[in-house]
Amino acid sequence: MSENPAAAEAAPTPVEAVVIGAGPVGLFQIFELGLLGISTHIIDSLAQAGGQCTELYPDKPIYDIPALPICGAQELIDRLLEQAKPFHATFHLGQEVTELKVLPDGKFQVATSAGTRLIAGAVVIAAGVGSFQARRLSLPGVEEFEGTSVHYRVKSAADFHGRDLVICGGGDSALDWTVALCGKARSLTLLHRRAEFRAAPATVARMRELVGAGKMQVLEGNATGLRTDNGKLAGLDVHTAGGRDLQLSADQILAFYGLHPKLGPIAEWGLALEKRALKVDTEKFQTSVRESSPSATSTPIPARKSSS
């Protein structure tokens, strides 16, 4: 093969199908296409397969995978990779798709930030609404502690064992980790701005059982500041819904205020958009370009409630 970049650019590699996004949906596409005898090239901007499951919450328990009462997020990815292994997909990781162009013969030219160029007969977009970034804890000086004492995801649950822990948020991630870490942390406080929670009712009920048993506390209020001691995180200042100002001791804070999507280059691919997501014919799950086929995660229709 020529090492000349211009020569390489002049000769994209012909492939049968390209899957954009190596999260759970994209990985399952390898299996589904493989059953049809279609080989797959899969592209993801992250350096490893797994999408949000691997990048944001690998240790998080998931409760709604068919036939698996409980499954860790990374475990799910490992199972999907094992399932896809017989079909020998080609992975292009750490690469962002910068171009998706329809050719005169109906095939697609796909180019990435790393210089990979493919000609595909079909494209499956399993990128959701783009990459996701965590909503940060908006407190003065928080940047100094992010990644060491203030976290927006859990890479290893063991890092929080034996710690004085405050978990902020009221959704599935906050409640799931509250239940999972209660009894392992030295102390645990769940802080949410209101009395109602958006998490699965069974998880909320379990959290209230733990509160009733004296194993943790829950507070309704907002964080107003960080407390420090000799450059280390010492706690959190809280203004409660009842008007009190409290000081919570904490050496670790988990903030789960949700994620906000960054659509990125998808917006430049010439596909019709609706509410910052790909517009999809939900009868056939096709984009405005007939030959490309987004996965269900790319549709703007309401998705089922998930714990993942």
Side-chain angles (χ1 to χ4, degrees), residues 56 132-137 151-153 255 257-260:
L56 297 180
F132 282 82
Q133 299 174 348
R135 298 186 188 279
R136 300 170 62 229
L137 190 62
H151 311 269
Y152 305 111
R153 58 178 175 171
Y257 292 135
L259 305 169
H260 59 92

Side-chain angles (χ1 to χ4, degrees), residues 43 46 50 63 115 122 131 171 184 193 196 200 209 226 272 281 289 293 308:
I43 305 170
L46 297 175
Y63 300 101
S131 61
K184 299 180 174 67
R193 59 187 174 85
E196 296 77 24
E209 289 177 4
L226 298 175
D281 174 357
V289 177
S293 173
S308 58

Side-chain angles (χ1 to χ4, degrees), residues 72-93:
Q74 185 60 50
E75 178 190 356
L76 174 63
I77 297 304
D78 293 341
R79 287 173 178 266
L80 286 165
L81 287 169
E82 186 67 25
Q83 184 182 44
K85 189 181 293 185
F87 302 106
H88 306 291
T90 300
F91 284 80
H92 305 276
L93 300 177

Side-chain angles (χ1 to χ4, degrees), residues 25 87 121 130 190 276 306:
V25 175
F87 302 106
L190 174 63
R276 297 289 295 168
S306 171

Side-chain angles (χ1 to χ4, degrees), residues 29-61:
Q29 291 301 309
I30 298 172
F31 173 76
E32 289 291 315
L33 291 167
L35 291 179
L36 298 174
I38 299 173
S39 62
T40 303
H41 283 240
I42 187 165
I43 305 170
D44 199 282
S45 60
L46 297 175
Q48 55 188 339
Q52 293 182 53
C53 287
T54 296
E55 185 69 10
L56 297 180
Y57 41 75
D59 280 349
K60 184 177 184 291

